[in-house]
Amino acid sequence: MGAFDVRDMMKADSAGPATPSSAGKTEDGQTRRFHPLAERIAALPLKPTLSPVMIEGLARLLDVLIVLTTGGLVYWLYAAGKVDDPLAYQITVPALAIGSLITFQTLQLYPIGALRNFASSAVRLLGGWTMLFLIALASFFFLKVGSQVSRGWLLGFYLVGAGALIAGRLTVTMAVRGLTRSGRLVRRTAIVGGGEAGAALIKALEAQKDTGLHICGVFDDRNDSRSPDLVAGYPKLGTIDDLVEFARRTRLDLVIFTLPISAEARLLTMLRKLWVLPIDIRLSAHMSKLRFRPRSYSYLGAVPVLDVFDRPIADWDIVLKWLFDKTVGMLALIALSPVMLATAIAIKLDSKGPVFFRQKRYGFNNETVDVLKFRSLRHDMADHTAAKQVTKDDPRVTRVGRFIRKTSVDELPQLINVVFKGDLSLVGPRPHAIHAKASNRAYEQVVDGYFARHKVKPGITGWAQIHGWRGETDTDEKIQRRVEHDLYYIENWSVLLDLYILLKTPFSLLTKNENAY
């Protein structure tokens, strides 16, 4: 699905029959009506957007590889076997690769806008490449090492490198333009707050070039003349409660508040609802009379904003965590396959029924995932909705089930979720059953901001589990402490923290299993 334009959709709606609003549910379980246009946008088959930071990083990597490859190739074709000492070449090629990266970065050749504009960036690229070789020639002259480097090789390196860099830039431009047309390089954005402030912000954002922002609509809790139904050509799609559901269903990337900082009570009320979402939240500062140090702001083009919340595990961190999950997960799956095979045989011999048990649980962004486990309950007493938690000496638990639940061996099939399905991570907040309860109340009713633990993918083990908060959650305190630990993990994530949790998990299973039945 390509990028959509909400204003074009409005025109289409005005030309045709009105679409009735549809019912949705808020996270507190209440039924509400969505704006028809919001429902249409939410129904679009939108794919996750790609991080511009990653695209720019890949462009840098491509340029470095091109310089290294062409330098080595020209040396192999022209100078290999003809020079007594290849050290000068071995130093020159990497030096020029690093120099090209610094030069192109200085010439602003890597922002998404430059990657889209081939003609302009190609001219600057050639100019930077030429300047770099002139600097190299001057360096050879002043260091008196010109005789150690073949001028023919240097000329060939310059010409072939220039051609390869231009071809590489053309390829990147075509790819970036294709991703832009498909809507993968936009930041789906919602504006909170209508009226004059909202209109001024939208006009300021639209005046910027290559911000990648794609405004989906305006949301405001006010229903009076201060917040009209149309703001700078964009429709008001609902209230903050509507925005929470809209953000989840449309994979929203960014929310910008136009409220003044002085409206502290309104801001806090709205942020209390929105902070649970895996999105960036910014506060517009372009009309504020308060002035902070320049370093206090981030910018959308030239529009200053204040950072309120950042999406956790974003940009290259997503790639690092994905590589960690796939690599370590595959190794763990191979190493533990004998244990899994023995467990499957034991379950089959111990009781009637299938070896595996599937249960729908909350995943990233409140999406449901099918979690795979070894069956530990009697098949005729299976509880797919987790209506009743397993308790101590629970008669539903089989003999093998009691052991594998105590040792968490029943969780090992979730390695399949990690390696092949990708809907779980090795480390993260444990996925809870959708209808799970504590003290006969749904978890989200017990813990304020419970859904914030779904800002990242759930995991097989986590920070809460190695601190003993696993197993039965029969009291409010147990689920509250578990969520506190989950949020600490989200706010402090690193690959080293994931590694520490994985290494600590076997020891915690032996020493902190009093709540696992």
Side-chain angles (χ1 to χ4, degrees):
M1 176 69 197
F4 61 90
D5 191 316
V6 67
R7 290 167 295 188
D8 289 343
M9 296 176 72
M10 286 176 60
K11 294 176 183 176
D13 281 349
S14 63
T19 305
S21 60
S22 62
K25 283 188 177 293
T26 61
E27 294 188 344
D28 57 9
Q30 297 179 353
T31 302
R32 63 185 308 108
R33 291 276 171 184
F34 287 117
H35 189 289
L37 190 55
E39 179 61 32
R40 281 190 60 196
I41 296 171
L44 294 174
L46 300 174
K47 295 181 180 179
T49 55
L50 299 175
S51 166
V53 173
M54 292 173 56
I55 301 298
E56 292 165 10
L58 290 173
R60 292 184 183 93
L61 179 61
L62 178 61
D63 284 347
V64 170
L65 291 176
I66 286 174
V67 174
L68 291 173
T69 303
T70 54
L73 180 63
V74 174
Y75 172 80
W76 178 69
L77 292 174
Y78 184 83
K82 300 177 183 179
V83 295
D84 297 328
D85 186 5
L87 181 61
Y89 298 89
Q90 295 169 355
I91 295 174
T92 301
V93 173
L96 286 173
I98 296 171
S100 65
L101 182 60
I102 296 171
T103 303
F104 297 162
Q105 182 70 37
T106 304
L107 293 173
Q108 294 290 303
L109 284 171
Y110 294 115
I112 288 294
L115 296 179
R116 287 195 190 102
N117 191 336
F118 173 72
S120 173
S121 61
V123 171
R124 283 181 288 156
L125 186 147
L126 280 176
W129 182 243
T130 302
M131 181 179 66
L132 185 64
F133 267 76
L134 292 175
I135 293 172
L137 288 172
S139 300
F140 293 154
F141 175 77
F142 286 112
L143 294 174
K144 299 180 180 180
V145 295
S147 60
Q148 300 179 29
V149 178
S150 167
R151 284 170 291 183
W153 170 79
L154 205 59
L155 178 62
F157 187 8
Y158 169 77
L159 294 174
V160 175
L165 285 168
I166 292 297
R169 180 51 58 109
L170 178 60
T171 302
V172 170
T173 297
M174 293 172 62
V176 168
R177 287 178 179 176
L179 290 171
T180 301
R181 285 193 298 271
S182 67
R184 300 298 299 277
L185 281 182
V186 300
R187 297 183 73 190
R188 297 177 191 129
T189 304
I191 307 298
V192 174
E196 293 181 4
L201 173 63
I202 291 173
K203 290 176 182 177
L205 292 174
E206 289 186 329
Q208 310 303 309
K209 293 183 179 179
D210 291 314
T211 60
L213 298 186
H214 188 89
I215 299 175
C216 299
V218 179
F219 293 81
D220 200 333
D221 281 339
R222 298 174 298 180
N223 290 311
D224 52 27
S225 59
R226 295 174 298 171
S227 180
D229 291 336
L230 204 61
V231 181
Y234 289 88
K236 186 173 77 171
L237 299 180
T239 64
I240 299 301
D241 287 326
D242 295 318
L243 175 56
V244 174
E245 181 64 17
F246 180 82
R248 293 202 185 282
R249 295 177 62 184
T250 59
R251 300 178 183 268
L252 208 64
D253 299 298
L254 174 66
V255 169
I256 308 176
F257 281 81
T258 64
L259 280 67
I261 299 175
S262 56
E264 181 179 349
R266 284 185 66 202
L267 276 173
L268 290 176
T269 299
M270 294 178 177
L271 289 174
R272 192 172 290 116
K273 297 177 180 178
L274 293 176
W275 77 279
V276 301
L277 297 170
I279 59 176
D280 295 325
I281 298 179
R282 302 288 182 260
L283 179 61
S284 172
H286 79 295
M287 292 184 64
S288 175
K289 294 180 181 179
L290 289 173
R291 285 293 177 263
F292 301 95
R293 292 181 178 179
R295 69 181 64 179
S296 301
Y297 299 105
S298 59
Y299 291 87
L300 302 171
V303 178
V305 293
L306 294 171
D307 297 349
V308 182
F309 290 110
D310 289 320
R311 179 201 305 260
I313 313 183
D315 301 328
W316 285 106
D317 287 342
I318 295 175
V319 178
L320 287 175
K321 190 165 178 62
W322 183 87
L323 290 172
F324 182 86
D325 284 340
K326 296 300 181 182
T327 303
V328 179
M330 180 60 75
L331 293 174
L333 190 60
I334 294 171
L336 294 170
S337 56
V339 176
M340 295 175 68
L341 179 60
T343 303
I345 294 172
I347 291 171
K348 207 64 181 171
L349 294 175
D350 181 54
S351 61
K352 295 180 179 179
V355 169
F356 296 111
F357 173 76
R358 287 179 175 82
Q359 188 176 61
K360 290 194 178 295
R361 298 193 176 190
Y362 277 123
F364 171 71
N365 199 28
N366 277 25
E367 297 172 357
T368 57
V369 297
D370 288 318
V371 170
L372 198 61
K373 299 181 68 174
F374 280 125
R375 181 175 59 85
S376 59
L377 303 185
R378 288 174 50 185
H379 181 52
D380 58 337
M381 295 184 175
D383 184 5
H384 291 278
T385 62
K388 180 183 177 182
Q389 290 197 30
V390 175
T391 58
K392 190 174 183 179
D393 300 323
D394 196 314
R396 297 176 297 167
V397 181
T398 65
R399 289 173 298 176
V400 171
R402 204 168 304 281
F403 173 77
I404 63 176
R405 291 180 71 90
K406 195 76 172 178
T407 57
S408 287
V409 171
D410 63 325
E411 311 286 2
L412 292 182
Q414 287 163 41
L415 288 169
I416 297 172
N417 285 86
V418 173
V419 176
F420 296 108
K421 298 181 68 177
D423 49 15
L424 290 189
S425 182
L426 284 175
V427 181
R430 285 292 297 143
H432 291 161
I434 295 174
H435 301 293
K437 296 179 180 180
S439 303
N440 292 319
R441 289 192 297 160
Y443 287 162
E444 60 269 26
Q445 295 173 347
V446 175
V447 182
D448 186 31
Y450 167 79
F451 289 114
R453 68 192 301 275
H454 302 152
K455 287 183 177 183
V456 299
K457 284 184 185 179
I460 297 177
T461 184
W463 186 249
Q465 283 63 47
I466 66 170
H467 286 86
W469 298 105
R470 56 185 287 258
E472 186 182 14
T473 52
D474 54 332
T475 66
D476 290 359
E477 182 195 8
K478 288 181 179 178
I479 186 60
Q480 286 170 349
R481 295 300 302 276
R482 185 180 289 189
V483 172
E484 287 173 8
H485 282 74
D486 291 338
L487 296 182
Y488 175 88
Y489 167 80
I490 292 172
E491 293 168 3
N492 296 276
W493 175 85
S494 69
V495 172
L496 290 178
L497 181 60
D498 274 4
L499 186 59
Y500 172 79
I501 292 171
L502 280 180
L503 295 175
K504 193 76 182 291
T505 295
F507 299 100
S508 66
L509 292 176
L510 298 174
T511 59
K512 297 178 180 180
N513 58 10
E514 57 271 11
N515 292 322
Y517 308 127

